Amino acid sequence: RFEDGKPAILFADEITSATREVHSASYQLFLERRVGDVKIPDSVMIIAAGNRLSDRGVVNQIPAPLLNRFVKLTIEPHLDSWLDWAATKGVDPRMLSWVGSQAQYLHNFDAGQAAGSEPFSTPRSIVSAATYIDWPKAERVELLRGTIGKEAADSLESHLRLWGRLPAFDEVVSDPEGCRIPATNELGERYAVSMMCAMRMDRQTFGALWRYVDRLGSVLCVLAVRLAQKRDPSLATAKGYRDFATKHRAVFERA
C-alpha cells in the first residue's frame, strides 16, 4: 500500500519475460499510473527492467504501444560501483582484488558462449564464485570454471597464487613503515595488497593500514580507504583519519 506524498518505487522486474497478455494489462499502469480503481501516487516512481533480446534470456518482444510509454535506458556494469557494493556486502577481498585488476571479467558475456551453454562471468556469478575460493584446489578449479567460465576461472587462479605472495596481515599492522611492499612493477600485487588492507581496515587498525597503503601511492591509498569507508562509515572518526584526509585531500575529493 502506497502512502500519498511518501517517495517509493514500484518495480516491474523481468518485464521482457512477461506474456503478451501481461504486457497488454500493464498499458494502464505505465500510461495512466493506475491499476483498475487504484491510483498510483505521483510520489511513486515506476520502473521496469528486463533482459535484451541479445542477452539470450527468456525474452518476449515488448509491444510497440507499451514501449512507447517508457523512457528506455541501457544499464552497463560499472567497476567502481560494483566494488563499492561488494565492499558493503562482505564479498571476499580476493575477489574484489581480482575483479579490480582484471575488470574485463566483471561482465564477460558472450552470446555465442551462452548459446553453447558455457558459463560466463557477471557480477552475479562472480559473487557466487567467491563462495568457492577456500575449497581444495581440485574442486575449486572445477567449481569456478562451472560458475564463471574457464578463462575467468584460470585468471582468478593465477590471482590467488599472487595473493599468496602478499605480506601477512599481522606483519603489516605491526610494522606499517617497514613491512615489505610489492615492487613498483608488480602492479597486480600492489593492487591486491591494497584490497587486503581495505577489507580488513577497522577503527583499531586504520592508523597502521593507511600508512602502509600510503607507501603504494596516493591513488591506491585513497581507493583502499574509500572502500573501507563504504563498509564502515565510522572510520571517518578513527585515529589517524584526519592525517590521511589532510595528506590526500585533492585525490580523496575527486574519488
Side-chain angles (χ1 to χ4, degrees):
R1 180 179 177 85
F2 295 112
E3 298 179 22
D4 287 338
K6 187 174 182 179
I9 294 175
L10 175 59
F11 185 40
D13 198 10
E14 302 293 354
I15 189 68
T16 53
S17 299
T19 63
R20 182 168 293 275
E21 290 74 20
V22 172
H23 284 159
S24 298
S26 64
Y27 289 176
Q28 184 184 47
L29 170 64
F30 290 106
L31 182 62
E32 301 177 18
R33 301 178 60 85
R34 179 184 298 277
V35 179
D37 294 331
V38 178
K39 178 73 169 62
I40 307 300
D42 292 339
S43 58
V44 175
M45 177 182 292
I46 303 176
I47 299 176
N51 291 315
R52 302 165 296 187
L53 290 171
S54 60
D55 291 331
R56 301 278 180 164
V58 179
V59 176
N60 296 318
Q61 185 76 43
I62 295 180
L66 182 57
L67 184 62
N68 192 237
R69 288 159 165 78
F70 293 150
V71 175
K72 183 180 178 182
L73 303 173
T74 299
I75 307 299
E76 299 289 347
H78 185 266
L79 177 61
D80 288 344
S81 296
W82 185 82
L83 290 173
D84 287 348
W85 174 86
T88 65
K89 298 301 180 181
V91 177
D92 193 294
R94 291 167 290 183
M95 191 63 82
L96 272 69
S97 175
W98 171 63
V99 175
S101 61
Q102 301 290 328
Q104 69 271 25
Y105 293 117
L106 179 60
H107 192 269
N108 193 32
F109 173 75
D110 179 270
Q113 187 177 357
S117 298
E118 292 298 321
F120 49 92
S121 59
T122 65
R124 177 168 49 199
S125 65
I126 286 170
V127 173
S128 296
T131 62
Y132 303 127
I133 284 184
D134 288 321
W135 283 52
K137 182 177 179 180
E139 291 89 343
R140 180 181 70 227
V141 169
E142 293 305 314
L143 289 166
L144 291 177
R145 289 178 176 180
T147 307
I148 57 178
K150 183 179 184 303
E151 179 184 330
D154 291 350
S155 172
L156 177 56
E157 277 296 311
S158 295
H159 193 80
L160 293 178
R161 289 194 294 272
L162 174 153
W163 190 275
R165 300 197 297 267
L166 300 182
F169 177 76
D170 290 343
E171 294 175 3
V172 173
V173 173
S174 62
D175 187 12
E177 304 294 344
C179 184
R180 177 183 68 84
I181 62 171
T184 303
N185 63 337
E186 295 290 348
L187 299 180
E189 286 191 33
R190 292 170 75 88
Y191 191 91
V193 77
S194 70
M195 290 299 98
M196 177 187 73
C197 292
M199 295 301 104
R200 300 285 296 274
M201 194 175 283
D202 58 27
R203 291 177 59 84
Q204 286 68 46
T205 62
F206 180 84
L209 292 182
W210 94 258
R211 292 199 309 274
Y212 176 79
V213 182
D214 185 50
R215 296 166 59 201
L216 302 174
S218 184
V219 172
L220 286 179
C221 182
V222 170
L223 174 63
V225 173
R226 180 176 63 82
L227 289 178
Q229 274 193 274
K230 289 288 183 178
R231 193 188 75 255
D232 182 5
S234 74
L235 289 179
T237 60
K239 184 178 180 180
Y241 187 87
R242 181 174 296 180
D243 293 335
F244 155 77
T246 299
K247 181 171 183 179
H248 297 289
R249 178 178 289 109
V251 176
F252 191 66
E253 289 175 348
R254 295 198 303 268

